[in-house]
């Protein structure tokens, strides 16, 4: 089968197949309250903004707890993490 694929490329024909498997579900951790934004500023590797961006949740000693997406939505700070890591992020 692999020889047949190389032959197709040698003759200038290309066949590309893309299969996306999305089996990972995500959990959103939401921080709310008067000090939510200032508290979150000290917990993540990126500045908390209204723009969704990749960030790391840090332990008090600076070690990485988990990665995810971080943003402000209304009065809440939202951190989206792979569902299997949600318990780790809240421990």
């Amino acid at each position: 089968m692999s020889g047949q694929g190389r032959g197709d490329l040698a003759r200038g024909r290309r066949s590309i197949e893309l299969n996306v498997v999305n089996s990972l579900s995500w959990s959103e951790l939401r921080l709310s309250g008067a000090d939510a934004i200032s508290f979150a500023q000290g917990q993540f590797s990126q500045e908390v903004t209204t723009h969704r961006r990749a960030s790391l949740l840090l332990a008090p000693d600076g070690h990485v707890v988990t990665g995810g997406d971080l943003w402000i939505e209304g009065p809440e700070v939202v951190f989206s993490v792979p569902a299997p890591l949600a318990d780790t992020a809240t421990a």
Side-chain angles (χ1 to χ4, degrees), residues 41-82:
Q41 294 289 14
Q43 306 304 309
F44 297 95
S45 64
Q46 298 293 326
E47 182 180 351
V48 181
T49 70
T50 55
H51 302 288
R52 188 175 184 146
R53 59 176 47 183
S55 187
L56 301 172
L57 175 62
L58 304 174
D61 62 3
H63 286 94
V64 174
V65 175
T66 187
D69 288 339
L70 178 68
W71 71 97
I72 296 171
E73 187 175 281
E76 298 178 317
V77 175
V78 184
F79 187 52
S80 179
V81 297

Side-chain angles (χ1 to χ4, degrees), residues 8-21:
D8 288 345
L9 289 174
R11 289 191 297 270
R13 291 185 288 154
R14 295 185 184 146
S15 176
I16 299 171
E17 183 177 330
L18 176 63
N19 294 312
V20 177
V21 178

